[in-house]
Every structure is written in structure tokens, then in C-alpha cells.
Amino acid sequence: MIHFDIVTIFPEVISAYTNSSIVKRAQEKGLIKIDIHNLRDWAIDKHKSVDDTPYGGGPGMVMKVEPIYNCLKELKKENSIVILTSPKGEKLVQSKLHQLSQKKDSHYIILCGHYEGFDQRVHDNLVDWEFSIGEYVLSGGELPALVLVDGITRLISGVLGNEQSLISETFNTDNPDYPTYTKPEIFNNWKVPEVLLSGNHKEIKEWREKKSKLSK
Ligand code: SAH
């Protein structure tokens, strides 16, 4: 089973997502475990502060190193991989999600940043891998952490109702997924392609292959 520890200053943002849909079901099935931690629990002062002003001046606040260090000291196990959300990190791609989903008995500790990001000493000394979900800057690492958890979880065997859907999907093959339709046959004069109603499996397969290549 894959165990995720997510460290954040907004636990409720994480739980809103992890308590629904596929990620929720994967936990219920015992295929993953998610623990959400409030970084403030490891703050070292009575105000529970996890950030401070930058040395050398400049705008914004920086996430302090000590709370992260203390948190990791408590959470880390032998097999842990410490993961940092960062716009400067390695761009997340489907093949990486696949790789992370295939490791049995993994423990991923995901750190969500805020403000100006982390004290550089966190990057330099405490993490194994930094990832970015794209070339844009968000206000916090919660959405990137959830992107990672969701993307890994749905690839774990037994999570999805029908794993056939993983085979043809976009980014798994060289070609994007083929277009899909459901009832009704005609809506607003928009018609479902004739071939899909034909029941001719060979033709349907060929049509899907063609369409999949075309939408690249
Ligand atoms: N000053 C930093 C941005 C900090 S954004 C810079 O210019 O590089 C605050 C936090 O949001 C980061 O620490 C990270 O945890 C998260 N974050 C923002 N954008 C992200 C992205 N594209 N991918 C992953 N994490 C991101």
C-alpha cells in the first residue's frame, strides 16, 4: 500500500478533496493511506509561526526550516521519500506518476509551501524530489500535492472500476484518447457518429484509432 503524509498549513483544503470520489474509495479499499498534518504542530514558538521575513530584505515571508525539520524527524521512516511542491521543481508528467504508483510499500511525505516558498536549507538538505505542476505560480502547494496524490492513486491496480480506461488514455500511449459519446443519439441536432451505433467492433476500433491519431 502507498502511504501519503501531507504536510500543510491548510489541512481542510486537503481533506475536502481526499474525502471524496476515487481518492476516498481507494482509502476505503485499503489501497492507499493518507494522513494530513498541520505544520504548525511542529512550530517552535508559542505563536505557532511557520514563516518569517527573508534575510537580506525583500518582499514576503519565507517558510522556516525548523518546523519542517522537526516534522520530518517525526514522520520519516526507512523507506520515506520526501517530496517538495515547488514551481522550480521537475515538471510532473504521466510517466513519473506511473513510476511512483508502481512502487509497493512506498511512503511519500509531501510538503506544501506558501508565501515566498521555503528557506533554501529545506531544498538543500531535507528533500528527495521537487516537482512542479506547470509553469505558473500558485499561492500554495496544496493543489500541486493533490494533483500528485490523485494522479498516482488512480494508477494503482484495483482503484478504478474499469482499468481498461487506463490503457487508451491520453499520455499513456503516443496518441491522445479517442472521443467518447453517450446517450442521447441526437441532441440539439448534434449527432453521435454513425459508426459507434453500428455494433461493428472492427470498424469502431479502426475509427477510434484514426480519431486518436487525428486529435494529436
Ligand atoms: N516565490 C516562489 C513562489 C512561491 S509560491 C517562486 O517565485 O519560485 C508558494 C508555494 O506554492 C511554493 O512553495 C509551492 O509549495 C507552491 N507552488 C506554487 N506554484 C507551484 C507549481 N507550479 N508547482 C508546484 N508547487 C507550486
Side-chain angles (χ1 to χ4, degrees):
M1 113 138 59
I2 294 186
H3 179 196
F4 298 97
D5 272 317
I6 307 177
V7 182
T8 169
I9 52 174
F10 294 104
E12 67 284 1
V13 172
I14 301 291
S15 59
Y17 192 83
T18 58
N19 288 339
S20 34
S21 190
I22 286 173
V23 175
K24 178 188 182 190
R25 255 191 289 136
Q27 291 171 85
E28 288 168 352
K29 286 187 188 167
L31 296 168
I32 60 165
K33 181 167 183 272
I34 300 179
D35 289 309
I36 306 168
H37 306 276
N38 192 333
L39 181 62
R40 293 194 194 282
D41 293 344
W42 287 278
I44 54 165
D45 63 340
K46 63 176 189 307
H47 303 294
K48 302 261 177 224
S49 53
V50 291
D51 58 303
D52 209 333
T53 52
Y55 278 120
M61 300 296 273
V62 177
M63 304 275 293
K64 292 162 69 63
V65 64
E66 303 103 303
I68 308 257
Y69 181 86
N70 292 336
C71 161
L72 291 176
K73 210 161 94 181
E74 198 172 322
L75 298 183
K76 261 182 95 163
K77 296 184 283 192
E78 207 129 274
N79 62 337
S80 304
I81 297 178
V82 180
I83 302 175
L84 194 76
T85 53
S86 164
K88 292 183 277 192
E90 180 184 324
K91 189 102 60 69
L92 191 61
V93 291
Q94 187 70 13
S95 55
K96 182 72 182 188
L97 291 174
H98 201 262
Q99 188 194 322
L100 294 170
S101 73
Q102 297 310 302
K103 291 194 184 147
K104 301 271 174 276
D105 292 319
S106 307
H107 179 216
Y108 301 131
I109 304 175
I110 310 170
L111 304 173
C112 305
H114 261 273
Y115 318 111
E116 293 301 316
F118 299 90
D119 185 306
Q120 184 60 33
R121 289 168 291 187
V122 172
H123 296 261
D124 292 346
N125 304 292
L126 299 178
V127 304
D128 300 307
W129 181 55
E130 301 188 18
F131 78 98
S132 163
I133 60 163
E135 288 171 20
Y136 41 82
V137 178
L138 303 169
S139 52
E142 284 72 22
L143 292 172
L146 288 171
V147 165
L148 185 71
V149 169
D150 183 292
I152 292 174
T153 298
R154 62 190 294 287
L155 294 176
I156 297 169
S157 175
V159 168
L160 291 190
N162 183 353
E163 292 181 16
Q164 278 297 104
S165 56
L166 294 177
I167 295 169
S168 64
E169 79 183 356
T170 311
F171 303 125
N172 189 43
T173 62
D174 286 340
N175 297 312
D177 210 350
Y178 51 77
T180 50
Y181 299 83
T182 186
K183 295 176 198 73
E185 264 178 54
I186 303 176
F187 174 74
N188 227 4
N189 215 21
W190 303 326
K191 297 192 179 106
V192 173
E194 216 42 66
V195 57
L196 297 179
L197 311 172
S198 68
N200 184 328
H201 295 296
K202 186 169 165 280
E203 273 178 28
I204 292 173
K205 188 165 173 277
E206 283 164 7
W207 181 88
R208 285 179 168 165
E209 280 168 7
K210 197 174 89 202
K211 282 290 177 183
S212 159
K213 284 187 191 112
L214 280 180
S215 53
K216 195 150 68 166

